[in-house]
């Protein structure tokens, strides 16, 4: 019986992991947990990130969006900027990618001072990758093969954190599409293939 609540935070999950493993954590757990720690503070950390950058209205094409300033200095837009999101899984881990949507089309190239782009400048090499969770595939396979309650809680935390960050984006943007597997769907695919995610489906 797990003593973790369904809403346990990262600190609680890590403490529980040490408790049930006599203070020990594996290298893969530590790597995955550290990466989630960075993600958990993505909006509060001092350093800049693509995620924070696209949420800054000063990076938006304000005339296109019908923007006006409120008395408190905050910016209000008539039309939310349109974006498309894509879940990406690779040897590096999990990534959330973002693309501007222009006239109903998803754009993957650089856009500099284009009047119909929702951003002043769109630089894919700096803005497309919103954030990464390192070693997700390896950790998910580890969870399926011999993960304990804390491992599963950590993987679920990753899923919920990404969903929360997408929800935050939806408050400022009109998200036209979200493509690819979510983390939960990706894990279900691992289970379906009995842990061997690298094989092709028959």
């Amino acid at each position: 019986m797990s003593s973790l609540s369904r809403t346990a935070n990262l600190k609680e999950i890590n403490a529980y992991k040490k408790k049930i493993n006599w203070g020990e954590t594996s290298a893969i757990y530590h790597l995955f947990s550290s990466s989630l720690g960075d993600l958990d503070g993505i909006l509060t950390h001092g350093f800049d990130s693509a995620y924070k950058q696209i949420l800054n209205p000063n990076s938006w094409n304000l005339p296109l969006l019908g923007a006006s300033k409120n008395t408190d200095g905050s910016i209000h837009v008539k039309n939310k900027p349109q974006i498309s999101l894509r879940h990406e899984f690779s040897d590096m881990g999990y990534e959330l990618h973002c693309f501007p949507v222009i006239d109903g089309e998803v754009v993957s190239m650089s856009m500099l001072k284009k009047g119909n782009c929702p951003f002043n400048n769109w630089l894919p090499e700096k803005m497309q990758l919103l954030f990464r969770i390192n070693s997700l595939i390896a950790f998910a396979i580890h969870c399926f093969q011999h993960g304990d309650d804390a491992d599963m809680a950590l993987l679920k935390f990753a899923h919920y954190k990404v969903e929360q960050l997408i929800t935050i984006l939806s408050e400022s943007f009109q998200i036209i599409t979200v493509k690819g597997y979510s983390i939960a769907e990706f894990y279900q695919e691992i289970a379906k293939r009995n842990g061997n995610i690298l094989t092709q489906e028959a």
Side-chain angles (χ1 to χ4, degrees):
M1 179 78 181
S2 171
S3 63
L4 271 178
S5 76
R6 287 172 61 87
T7 57
N9 61 32
L10 187 57
K11 189 176 178 182
E12 291 167 338
I13 295 168
N14 287 338
Y16 182 68
K17 176 68 175 177
K18 288 181 179 177
K19 179 182 172 186
I20 63 175
N21 285 277
W22 305 96
E24 296 292 321
T25 57
S26 64
I28 185 69
Y29 181 96
H30 181 71
L31 195 64
F32 190 63
S33 176
S34 295
S35 190
L36 281 177
D38 291 339
L39 185 63
D40 200 24
I42 194 168
L43 290 173
T44 53
H45 284 333
F47 59 80
D48 201 15
S49 67
Y51 184 85
K52 282 169 74 172
Q53 188 180 345
I54 71 161
L55 277 170
N56 181 353
N58 291 318
S59 71
W60 302 350
N61 184 348
L62 296 176
L64 175 73
L65 305 173
S68 58
K69 269 196 177 179
N70 298 324
T71 51
D72 63 357
S74 63
I75 295 171
H76 172 75
V77 295
K78 281 184 186 173
N79 308 304
K80 289 182 177 181
Q82 296 184 341
I83 57 171
S84 173
L85 299 176
R86 191 171 71 209
H87 299 288
E88 290 277 347
F89 295 86
S90 70
D91 292 344
M92 295 289 291
Y94 163 85
E95 298 174 350
L96 184 66
H97 288 219
C98 176
F99 305 87
V101 175
I102 300 174
D103 301 328
E105 295 291 323
V106 176
V107 176
S108 57
M109 66 185 104
S110 294
M111 301 291 287
L112 303 176
K113 305 291 184 187
K114 302 283 186 180
N116 57 352
C117 180
F119 298 89
N120 290 324
N121 293 306
W122 181 259
L123 301 168
E125 64 275 14
K126 290 185 177 179
M127 301 167 78
Q128 179 178 312
L129 169 55
L130 297 186
F131 56 78
R132 175 186 292 135
I133 306 175
N134 293 324
S135 306
L136 187 135
I137 294 179
F139 187 76
I141 292 171
H142 161 79
C143 280
F144 177 76
Q145 291 176 338
H146 38 73
D148 57 27
D149 286 345
D151 294 329
M152 286 305 301
L154 193 64
L155 191 62
K156 287 177 184 176
F157 178 85
H159 171 77
Y160 292 134
K161 180 53 63 176
V162 169
E163 293 301 307
Q164 179 190 16
L165 290 171
I166 290 174
T167 298
I168 290 169
L169 288 176
S170 73
E171 292 165 4
S172 296
F173 296 93
Q174 183 182 354
I175 300 174
I176 304 299
T177 55
V178 181
K179 296 182 178 178
Y181 288 129
S182 69
I183 291 175
E185 290 166 340
F186 186 78
Y187 183 76
Q188 288 164 358
E189 193 65 23
I190 288 174
K192 194 168 121 184
R193 300 193 197 183
N194 200 30
N196 193 357
I197 198 68
L198 302 177
T199 61
Q200 296 294 319
E201 277 193 289

